[in-house]
């Protein structure tokens, strides 16, 4: 693996991209019997020319109007088309099998991203030889798995990636006993058709997935009307037994990662890169929190600049 480490100082300058107006087109596509809702982002007044394109996916429990929209617009400002969508069981998209919703299923979400790549490759505004994937937080692992072995995907970028392994899962979720307790809760919930709780709530609240302040609970940030703010406890087992930090060897496309030691589980990035044999660009920003990467203008700009530079570079896969 060849890793290029980018210093924070090298990216403190403002974005050099021209600020462009963005137009959107709502579309639908199918996966595993369900209809998914997505949005194609284009420069305003686009003449129909096929553009290099970035498929953007967001954090767990999120909908496309949250951090995916923010980065999609950033990509359009930098000369790309972009595509976001709601996963099955979330937002405007159809259900998972058996009418299940709000399950954070790595398997299902990975399948949905693969279907999104297949779909955007058919759009006339998309250059099918220049499709890239950008995964944020939890969907970073899903993006890696969806891109692995996928000839449609030229390059992969990860912003504030949540890349966990068994060791990290135990450290985050209360040790082996805590993890096992959540898995037992998951199985009990699944057996009864699911158990829905609020995804976000006020700091210290009981019976809430994320009883914290910040992004998901602030109306001017993530608590937008489109946000489901729901979590199905039936999803715990799939999430806790998913170890994307161990999946670095699956990916062959060039990779760029933007993260911070002040954000979530940076040790997962190090574990992932140990197994990644390709070319990686790693930018570690100073004192940037996980939520800052979602919508803080300065930090989003720096991350988007790095991603645009990465996606614009020629790939060894170009032939």
């Amino acid at each position: 693996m060849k890793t290029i480490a980018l210093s924070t100082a090298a990216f403190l300058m403002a974005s050099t991209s021209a600020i462009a107006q963005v137009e959107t087109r709502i579309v639908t596509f199918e996966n595993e019997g369900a209809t998914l809702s997505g949005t194609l982002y284009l420069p305003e007044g686009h003449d129909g020319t096929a553009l290099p394109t970035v498929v953007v996916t967001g954090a767990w429990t999120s909908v496309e109007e949250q951090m995916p929209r923010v980065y999609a617009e950033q990509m359009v400002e930098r000369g790309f088309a972009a595509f976001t969508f709601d996963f099955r069981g979330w937002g405007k998209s159809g259900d998972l099998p058996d009418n299940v919703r709000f399950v954070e299923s790595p398997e299902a979400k990975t399948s949905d991203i693969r279907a999104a790549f297949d779909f955007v490759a058919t759009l006339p505004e998309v250059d099918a030889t220049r499709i890239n994937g950008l995964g944020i937080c939890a969907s970073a692992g899903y993006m890696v798995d969806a891109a692995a072995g996928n000839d449609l995907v030229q390059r992969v970028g990860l912003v504030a990636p949540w890349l966990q392994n068994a060791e990290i899962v135990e450290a985050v979720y209360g040790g082996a006993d805590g993890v096992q307790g959540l898995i037992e809760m998951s199985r009990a919930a699944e057996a009864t058709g699911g158990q829905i709780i609020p995804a976000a709530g006020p700091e210290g609240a009981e019976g809430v997935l994320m009883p914290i302040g910040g992004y998901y609970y602030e109306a001017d940030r993530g608590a937008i009307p489109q946000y489901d703010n729901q979590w199905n406890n039936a999803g715990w087992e799939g999430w806790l037994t998913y170890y994307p930090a161990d999946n670095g060897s699956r990916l062959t496309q060039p990779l760029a990662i933007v993260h911070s030691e002040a954000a979530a589980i940076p040790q997962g990035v190090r574990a992932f890169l140990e197994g990644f044999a390709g070319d990686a660009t790693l930018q570690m920003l100073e004192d940037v929190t996980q939520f800052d990467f979602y919508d803080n203008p300065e930090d989003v700009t720096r991350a988007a600049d790095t991603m645009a530079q990465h996606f614009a570079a020629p790939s060894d896969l170009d032939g």
Side-chain angles (χ1 to χ4, degrees):
M1 178 187 68
K2 179 175 70 176
T3 302
I4 304 171
L6 301 177
S7 68
T8 300
F11 283 86
L12 285 177
M13 73 287 288
S15 169
T16 57
S17 66
I19 301 301
Q21 297 298 312
V22 178
E23 64 181 39
T24 59
R25 178 153 60 89
I26 305 301
V27 297
T28 60
F29 62 105
E30 303 295 315
N31 188 35
E32 299 185 19
T35 300
L36 287 76
S37 179
T39 304
L40 180 66
Y41 292 75
L42 296 165
E44 187 176 50
H46 179 58
D47 62 4
T49 303
L51 294 174
T53 300
V54 184
V55 175
V56 186
T57 56
W60 73 346
T61 82
S62 66
V63 292
E64 63 166 319
E65 292 88 357
Q66 293 173 310
M67 70 292 292
R69 177 191 59 79
V70 171
Y71 280 88
E73 291 177 348
Q74 292 284 323
M75 291 299 101
V76 172
E77 290 178 1
R78 289 158 177 78
F80 299 86
F83 185 74
T84 65
F85 65 95
D86 283 333
F87 291 103
R88 282 177 292 157
W90 303 90
K92 302 177 296 301
S93 288
D95 296 343
L96 289 163
D98 300 319
N99 301 315
V100 169
R101 295 189 68 78
F102 314 126
V103 168
E104 188 67 33
S105 169
E107 180 180 5
K109 288 192 169 185
T110 298
S111 175
D112 290 345
I113 297 172
R114 291 195 188 104
F117 284 133
D118 290 342
F119 174 70
V120 297
T122 70
L123 298 176
E125 301 91 345
V126 170
D127 181 347
T129 70
R130 290 291 188 275
I131 297 174
N132 307 282
L134 172 56
I136 304 163
C137 191
S139 72
Y142 315 152
M143 183 61 71
V144 166
D145 290 346
N150 191 333
D151 292 339
L152 284 174
V153 186
Q154 298 302 299
R155 288 176 167 264
V156 174
L158 310 177
V159 172
W162 183 285
L163 299 168
Q164 63 189 21
N165 55 23
E167 180 182 359
I168 292 171
V169 165
E170 288 196 2
V172 171
Y173 295 102
D177 290 344
V179 171
Q180 186 57 39
L182 289 170
I183 288 175
E184 291 173 3
M185 176 193 296
S186 180
R187 292 172 179 173
E190 186 173 12
T192 59
Q195 180 188 40
I196 310 298
I197 64 172
E203 192 166 352
E206 297 291 332
V208 176
L209 173 68
M210 296 180 285
I212 53 179
Y215 180 83
Y216 290 99
Y217 197 63
E218 295 179 9
D220 59 345
R221 300 187 73 187
I224 57 177
Q226 297 92 332
Y227 181 45
D228 296 305
N229 194 25
Q230 302 285 289
W231 168 269
N232 190 331
N233 279 329
W236 273 118
E237 184 167 14
W239 171 252
L240 294 172
T241 56
Y242 178 59
Y243 305 139
D246 296 339
N247 294 348
S249 62
R250 296 182 182 179
L251 192 68
T252 57
Q253 293 95 332
L255 171 68
I257 297 175
V258 180
H259 207 20
S260 172
E261 293 293 339
I265 59 169
Q267 67 269 37
V269 171
R270 293 188 285 271
F272 181 88
L273 289 176
E274 286 178 3
F276 179 65
D279 290 342
T281 298
L282 175 62
Q283 181 187 6
M284 296 296 288
L285 300 179
E286 295 179 7
D287 300 323
V288 180
T289 70
Q290 191 74 9
F291 291 167
D292 287 339
F293 277 115
Y294 298 170
D295 64 354
N296 184 56
E298 178 185 0
D299 302 316
V300 168
T301 294
R302 290 187 286 174
D305 282 344
T306 299
M307 291 299 141
Q309 181 181 25
H310 172 64
F311 294 141
S315 172
D316 293 338
L317 302 179
D318 293 342

